[in-house]
Amino acid sequence: QPAILQPLMRQVSFGEEQISSIGRGLCVLLGISVEDTQKDVDYMVRKILNLRLFEDENGRAWSRSVMDRELEVLCVSQFTLQCILKGNKPDFHSAMPAELAQPFYNNMLEQLREAYKAELIKDGQFGAKMQVLIQNDGPVTIQLESPAGPTDPKLLSKQEKQQQRKEKTRSKGPSESSREKAALRSKAGASASSGAEGDVSSEREP
């Protein structure tokens, strides 16, 4: 379930009618896959509301989430994010069919409203060909994709075999050649340092 997040001011219109608009906040362009489940919804809702994409009161960047700042969120369902190119032609068969995607999308909106402030969650018109006006702040665009495990038994079996090989490798002691190389490096007085300046960290969701 890919989504594009953009800090912005924006509005969506259908013809001459303005459907929805927000001030400062997040625009979420959401592509729903045929394989998406409730677990994907839970992940997306949590990330959309908690990603630190905004500055704090002292102007420090990447310090506050949309909830921290009590900003708005505008969601638009966009099946074209599920595009797969076949030559030069886009193919959208991996997108969830509209009759299933609409209740799925509505459920996600409801969860966003329950987890945050309902009046700050806006959306477009599902399935309509809309004109979207975006004022991207930064510009900042974040591509967010919910983690997915393989459902194909062949892929699962391949992953299991790879994991088993890794475990076997870890359980063995260093090989003779490894010990010889280590001894040579030691004799040569070689040393290594990271040379890194600053610190980069990442959070992983279970």
Side-chain angles (χ1 to χ4, degrees), residues 24 54-64 69:
R24 192 159 189 227
F54 299 93
E55 71 280 1
D56 63 15
E57 56 279 5
N58 296 316
R60 187 178 61 173
W62 318 112
S63 300
R64 295 290 184 264
R69 296 289 304 272

Side-chain angles (χ1 to χ4, degrees), residues 52-145:
R52 295 191 294 269
L53 301 178
F54 299 93
E55 71 280 1
D56 63 15
E57 56 279 5
N58 296 316
R60 187 178 61 173
W62 318 112
S63 300
R64 295 290 184 264
S65 69
V66 71
M67 284 206 304
D68 294 332
R69 296 289 304 272
E70 297 187 341
L71 302 176
E72 295 175 287
V73 178
L74 178 56
C75 295
V76 177
S77 178
Q78 188 171 342
F79 74 91
T80 57
L81 285 171
Q82 293 292 344
C83 171
I84 297 173
L85 290 180
K86 292 187 174 180
N88 291 323
K89 183 179 179 180
D91 182 280
F92 304 111
H93 282 93
S94 62
M96 186 178 288
E99 63 272 16
L100 299 176
Q102 185 166 9
F104 191 97
Y105 174 69
N106 289 339
N107 172 50
M108 180 167 169
L109 287 173
E110 188 60 32
Q111 282 197 219
L112 282 165
R113 288 171 177 140
E114 289 176 0
Y116 189 28
K117 296 181 178 181
E119 67 275 14
L120 297 182
I121 303 296
K122 310 290 181 63
D123 70 297
Q125 184 174 328
F126 186 92
K129 186 175 182 181
M130 296 173 287
Q131 291 76 48
V132 182
L133 176 63
I134 298 176
Q135 183 177 330
N136 196 328
D137 186 8
V140 174
T141 301
I142 304 295
Q143 182 173 334
L144 179 63
E145 189 155 355

Side-chain angles (χ1 to χ4, degrees), residues 52 198-204:
R52 295 191 294 269
D199 177 56
V200 177
S201 61
S202 62
E203 295 182 22
R204 291 185 179 271

Side-chain angles (χ1 to χ4, degrees), residues 8-79:
L8 47 66
M9 292 179 286
R10 100 173 250 201
Q11 67 181 42
V12 289
S13 303
F14 179 66
E16 298 299 319
E17 177 190 0
Q18 181 176 299
I19 298 171
S20 191
S21 66
I22 63 171
R24 192 159 189 227
L26 283 180
C27 162
V28 179
L29 305 176
L30 183 71
I32 303 172
S33 162
V34 291
E35 296 181 349
D36 285 337
T37 66
Q38 182 60 42
K39 185 179 291 187
D40 297 287
V41 174
D42 295 342
Y43 177 87
M44 282 296 185
V45 168
R46 186 171 68 251
K47 285 297 186 183
I48 288 168
L49 296 179
N50 289 285
L51 278 177
R52 295 191 294 269
L53 301 178
F54 299 93
E55 71 280 1
D56 63 15
E57 56 279 5
N58 296 316
R60 187 178 61 173
W62 318 112
S63 300
R64 295 290 184 264
S65 69
V66 71
M67 284 206 304
D68 294 332
R69 296 289 304 272
E70 297 187 341
L71 302 176
E72 295 175 287
V73 178
L74 178 56
C75 295
V76 177
S77 178
Q78 188 171 342
F79 74 91

